Amino acid sequence: RRQDNEANKTGNPLRAAVVCVLGHVDTGKTKILDKLRRTNVQDGEAGGITQQIGATNVPIENIKEQTKHVKGVNEIAFKLPGLLIIDTPGHESFSNLRNRGSSLCDIAILVVDIMHGLEPQTIESINLLKQKKTPFLVALNKIDRLYDWQSAQRKDVRDILKMQQPNTQLEFEKRCKGVILDFAEQGLNAALFYENPDPRTYVSLVPTSAVTGEGMGNLLAMIVQACEGPLHKRLIFSQQLLATVLEVKAIPGLGTTIDTILINGTLHEGDTMVLAGTDGPIVTQIRSLLMPQPMKELRVKNAYIEHKEVVGAQGVKIAAKELEKAIAGLNLQIAQKPDEVDVLKEEVSRELKSALSSIKLS
Ligand code: GDP
């Protein structure tokens, strides 16, 4: 506690913010992820973006570059190291990022197709986000499908909207009103981000096109602003370990591995970890901490680079013995001393029990 207060005063480093993308099928979640991760960049120069396990790390320098044209960008301090964007969109990865009932996702992007409004899975997503109290922004996507849309690059989306023909602007306004009404039906206030009277009580809508790129800079700028504003405290890096198992995977040559999102703290090769398994807690040593090779060298399949240690927030694959029965969606613990193992085993069992009972309830 005390340390956290100290950290605040001295402006201690922040960790990367964990970002999830949710929404109905076909609204453009994958396309938005591709755009944010710029995996569609042909020349392979994605400006320091690194593929991690289950997530992509977009460094702050890259975000600065992608938001240069956004109005008011000078007011952003760009203090956080970057964004850790979870690669698999949708409910499952969001739900697996949990910690004692709350979510480890710092901020979510809820994708809504401007032509369709709120759809059944959008509403499910909203309920999940409400339940976990996760802040979110809405990407009001596919604006390029508005009648007679004129595309423009490297401009603030507000200016691009202003330069549209009157008919296009009218259609935009009509569809926005519809979406805002849909949100009201779900008990939520929503407003276009530049008309938002109070970001604490109104959800911001950011018009985007994941195909032509309009609004993507605005979306990134809004995320960073939220991280530096209301989310700042939560993002102060702490050495108190916080890591969660996203997926359990068998890999040829490595055996069963766990894909882990490390939020806070540091993992080392050789650490003794305690995690939930179907037959009770598993206690095992980290054999290796693995990250994918840099993008250009990704031709060799399943080639990983071993790390001696990994610092949060990052995605890492852990290889160890006895992971066959590991369970995804729960935290992993590290025993600093041998006598901590029993305490941690109890903690892990308790967590598993409460996770199971919450699954039965829902
Ligand atoms: P997901 O199911 O939510 O992941 O949706 P996808 O990203 O797979 O997109 C579904 C379809 O919509 C694909 O054919 C995309 O090319 C298309 N799409 C996604 N975003 C946009 C957009 O902003 N504009 C247009 N015109 N099409 C889009």
Side-chain angles (χ1 to χ4, degrees), residues 23-32 89 141-145 208-212:
H24 194 78
V25 65
D26 272 348
T27 50
K29 297 184 294 296
T30 310
K31 209 81 189 170
I32 283 190
N141 196 37
K142 304 200 187 184
I143 49 171
D144 62 292
R145 293 191 56 205
T208 59
S209 167
V211 168
T212 47

Side-chain angles (χ1 to χ4, degrees), residues 243-281:
T244 194
V245 179
L246 209 55
E247 240 186 295
V248 182
K249 265 191 205 161
I251 303 285
L254 287 176
T256 304
T257 62
I258 47 173
D259 289 356
T260 304
I261 300 293
L262 171 66
I263 307 278
N264 273 319
T266 307
L267 292 171
H268 309 87
E269 201 183 87
D271 278 352
T272 301
M273 46 176 193
V274 184
L275 69 160
T278 48
D279 291 348

Side-chain angles (χ1 to χ4, degrees), residues 92-322:
E92 196 183 332
S93 51
F94 176 81
S95 300
N96 276 350
L97 276 169
R98 64 174 159 230
N99 175 40
R100 297 193 180 90
S102 68
S103 179
L104 295 176
C105 164
D106 296 305
I107 184 164
I109 301 170
L110 178 67
V111 187
V112 172
D113 182 336
I114 191 169
M115 308 305 277
H116 294 165
L118 265 54
E119 299 175 90
Q121 288 160 25
T122 328
I123 293 167
E124 279 174 32
S125 303
I126 290 173
N127 290 334
L128 257 179
L129 293 165
K130 273 188 191 166
Q131 195 191 337
K132 299 291 177 195
K133 299 190 175 69
T134 304
F136 65 98
L137 296 164
V138 172
L140 196 54
N141 196 37
K142 304 200 187 184
I143 49 171
D144 62 292
R145 293 191 56 205
L146 295 168
Y147 177 73
D148 201 22
W149 178 259
Q150 303 297 313
S151 204
Q153 301 305 311
R154 310 225 109 229
K155 276 198 160 84
D156 192 291
V157 75
R158 285 164 276 194
D159 291 333
I160 303 174
L161 284 163
K162 269 187 221 145
M163 70 178 225
Q164 302 299 316
Q165 294 298 321
N167 271 344
T168 312
Q169 294 201 24
L170 271 178
E171 189 193 353
F172 174 74
E173 278 160 29
K174 194 189 93 196
R175 293 198 183 273
C176 276
K177 275 194 189 129
V179 170
I180 289 169
L181 274 175
D182 285 353
F183 271 103
E185 271 176 29
Q186 298 305 314
L188 285 175
N189 294 319
L192 282 161
F193 73 97
Y194 46 89
E195 292 171 352
N196 192 333
D198 179 9
R200 283 171 308 177
T201 53
Y202 279 71
V203 177
S204 285
L205 312 178
V206 187
T208 59
S209 167
V211 168
T212 47
E214 288 96 13
M216 295 305 298
N218 289 94
L219 183 62
L220 275 170
M222 292 288 292
I223 294 173
V224 175
Q225 258 170 335
C227 290
E228 290 182 354
L231 290 173
H232 178 263
K233 227 176 168 174
R234 179 184 163 110
L235 295 175
I236 293 171
F237 176 75
S238 151
Q239 271 302 354
Q240 181 78 44
L241 188 87
L242 185 52
T244 194
V245 179
L246 209 55
E247 240 186 295
V248 182
K249 265 191 205 161
I251 303 285
L254 287 176
T256 304
T257 62
I258 47 173
D259 289 356
T260 304
I261 300 293
L262 171 66
I263 307 278
N264 273 319
T266 307
L267 292 171
H268 309 87
E269 201 183 87
D271 278 352
T272 301
M273 46 176 193
V274 184
L275 69 160
T278 48
D279 291 348
I282 301 167
V283 182
T284 182
Q285 242 103 42
I286 296 181
R287 188 171 65 215
S288 41
L289 293 164
L290 303 163
M291 304 263 242
Q293 299 226 356
M295 277 197 197
K296 279 180 194 160
E297 295 151 55
L298 255 174
R299 288 200 194 100
V300 194
K301 229 183 162 212
N302 291 338
Y304 296 102
I305 293 180
E306 289 190 21
H307 290 256
K308 289 277 171 236
E309 61 168 47
V310 173
V311 183
Q314 298 201 68
V316 58
K317 183 186 277 299
I318 301 178
K321 285 184 185 155
E322 289 167 68

Side-chain angles (χ1 to χ4, degrees), residues 321-334:
K321 285 184 185 155
E322 289 167 68
L323 291 177
E324 291 77 16
K325 290 182 175 157
I327 303 175
L330 292 163
N331 289 355
L332 77 80
Q333 309 278 356
I334 297 292

